[in-house]
């Protein structure tokens, strides 16, 4: 069918469907090509409008207050993970704004446009006292995080103000009212969990505080050297490996499945939880806990 010869009809605005069938019908005919051009022009105008909007957004100035600071340490923590510490002794405003475990900030490398969002691993009191922010960073190819892990002591980066509400442990206090607290972390999500545990949330005054920590393998599991100290503080560590070798005798698979298999006995009204890591894990753990009667506000997240 030719676009130049085909037509279609539209009912004229003067034609009413309830008129007698003997009344004349007034129709207008438009070549199909004309209609096609009108539709194409409409689409192009829409795209042009979107392009203009995007350009305006890109031109908006960055209002973030960036503070320069120097790297103090960059060293391997596990496979693909690095310990990175930044000296904030000359950045008093930034250091003092970190008050709650689970908070995070942006770190930017000069001349690199995109910053990286990083949760602070060191507890607030220790970070302020020592003038150092510690991080656990996963090096992802092509990312700002990878560039950070390739820097060395003394290199300058830029920090945003500290952001986020952190883990609101008031929701699971006092400890005598929340005897069971289940903590879940995967990958570098253990970073703010370290801050929580080492900040102290009265784990030793609760009957069952359990950390389910998921990684692909032991080689990818950071902070193993801290496990004994965490257990001494009242936290039972449950490592869960998704791709263990044949010698592994512990929990395997995913964190949420390991928790479901454990079938702990806990009273929902006196139970809290803390989550950080892979999105699917957080969603499925939340579903399990809420399904068993744990109030949603007692399940703490830092984002």
């Amino acid at each position: 069918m030719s676009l130049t010869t085909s037509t279609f009809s539209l009912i004229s605005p003067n034609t009413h469907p309830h008129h007698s069938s003997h009344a004349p019908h007034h129709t207008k005919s438009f070549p199909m090509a004309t209609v096609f051009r009108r539709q194409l022009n409409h689409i192009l105008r829409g795209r042009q409008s979107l392009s203009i909007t995007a350009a305006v957004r890109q031109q908006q100035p960055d209002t973030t207050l960036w503070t320069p600071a120097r790297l103090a340490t960059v060293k391997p923590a596990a496979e693909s993970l690095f310990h990175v510490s930044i000296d904030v002794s000359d950045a008093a405003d930034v250091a003092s704004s970190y008050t709650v475990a689970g908070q995070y900030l942006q770190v930017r490398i000069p001349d690199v446009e995109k910053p990286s969002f990083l949760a602070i691993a060191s507890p607030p009191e220790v970070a302020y006292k020592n003038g150092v922010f510690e991080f656990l960073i996963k090096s992802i190819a092509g990312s700002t995080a990878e560039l950070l892990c390739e820097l060395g002591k003394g290199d300058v980066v830029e920090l945003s103000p500290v952001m986020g509400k952190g883990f609101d442990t008031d929701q699971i206090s006092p400890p005598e009212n929340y005897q069971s607290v289940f903590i879940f972390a995967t990958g570098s999500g253990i970073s703010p969990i370290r801050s929580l545990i080492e900040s102290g949330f009265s784990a030793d005054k609760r009957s069952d505080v359990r950390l389910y920590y998921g990684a692909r393998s032991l080689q990818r599991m950071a902070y193993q050297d801290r496990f004994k100290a965490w257990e001494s503080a009242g936290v039972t560590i449950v490592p869960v490996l998704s791709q263990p070798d044949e010698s592994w005798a512990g929990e395997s698979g995913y964190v949420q499945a390991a928790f479901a298999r454990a079938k702990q006995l806990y009273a929902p009204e006196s139970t809290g939880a803390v989550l950080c890591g892979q999105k699917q894990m957080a969603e499925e753990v939340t579903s399990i806990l809420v399904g068993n009667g744990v109030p949603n506000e007692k399940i703490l997240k830092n984002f």
Side-chain angles (χ1 to χ4, degrees), residues 20-299:
S20 166
S21 60
H22 298 289
H25 292 281
H26 302 285
T27 63
K28 291 184 180 180
S29 297
F30 296 95
M32 185 65 77
T34 300
V35 176
F36 179 78
R37 282 196 297 271
R38 289 180 179 177
Q39 292 175 337
L40 181 60
N41 288 336
H42 178 73
I43 292 171
L44 292 176
R45 282 196 299 271
R47 288 181 178 176
Q48 184 180 29
S49 175
L50 289 173
S51 299
I52 292 172
T53 301
V56 169
R57 287 176 179 169
Q58 290 174 358
Q59 292 171 3
Q60 290 179 349
D62 180 6
T63 58
T64 304
L65 178 63
W66 295 99
T67 301
R70 293 188 180 276
L71 291 179
T73 306
V74 180
K75 61 182 181 180
E79 187 178 310
S80 300
L81 294 170
F82 288 81
H83 293 299
V84 175
S85 59
I86 300 177
D87 186 346
V88 292
S89 58
D90 293 329
D93 288 346
V94 176
S96 62
S97 65
Y98 176 38
T99 58
V100 181
Q103 289 182 298
Y104 54 95
L105 47 64
Q106 296 180 79
V107 179
R108 186 172 73 173
I109 301 173
D111 301 323
V112 176
E113 182 179 353
K114 190 174 182 180
S116 186
F117 284 84
L118 300 174
I120 306 170
S122 42
E125 301 83 359
V126 175
Y128 185 77
K129 179 181 177 181
N130 296 339
V132 174
F133 280 176
E134 297 177 35
F135 302 90
L136 179 68
I137 302 179
K138 182 177 181 179
S139 179
I140 301 173
S143 69
T144 300
E146 181 187 39
L147 297 177
L148 274 171
C149 296
E150 293 174 351
L151 298 178
K153 182 178 180 179
D155 286 337
V156 175
V157 295
E158 296 175 321
L159 308 179
S160 76
V162 174
M163 309 163 70
K165 60 182 176 60
F167 297 119
D168 185 8
T169 54
D170 287 345
Q171 293 292 327
I172 53 173
S173 296
E176 55 267 23
N177 292 348
Y178 296 92
Q179 284 293 294
S180 298
V181 176
F182 303 119
I183 307 171
F184 304 87
T186 54
S188 58
I190 193 64
S191 178
I193 296 300
R194 173 201 155 189
S195 177
L196 173 72
I197 293 173
E198 296 181 7
S199 293
F201 63 105
S202 303
D204 57 344
K205 295 180 181 178
R206 307 175 195 263
S207 61
D208 187 9
V209 178
R210 200 170 294 266
L211 167 61
Y212 286 84
Y213 178 12
R216 184 176 298 179
S217 64
L218 281 178
Q219 290 72 33
R220 293 200 173 203
M221 184 167 280
Y223 297 146
Q224 294 182 52
D225 58 333
R226 295 178 177 270
F227 285 0
K228 286 186 178 179
W230 292 357
E231 290 186 328
S232 296
V235 180
T236 300
I237 314 295
V238 184
V240 184
L241 305 183
S242 61
Q243 296 181 16
D245 60 28
E246 294 179 356
S247 64
W248 178 247
E251 290 286 348
S252 61
Y254 293 112
V255 162
Q256 55 270 38
F259 177 64
R261 285 194 299 268
K263 299 185 183 302
Q264 289 97 339
L265 296 176
Y266 56 90
E269 66 279 1
S270 60
T271 296
V274 185
L275 312 178
C276 191
Q278 202 263 347
K279 181 180 178 182
Q280 182 178 349
M281 177 275 290
E283 290 176 347
E284 292 186 11
V285 167
T286 299
S287 179
I288 293 170
L289 290 168
V290 172
N292 287 338
V294 177
N296 198 61
E297 64 270 17
K298 306 303 178 184
I299 302 173

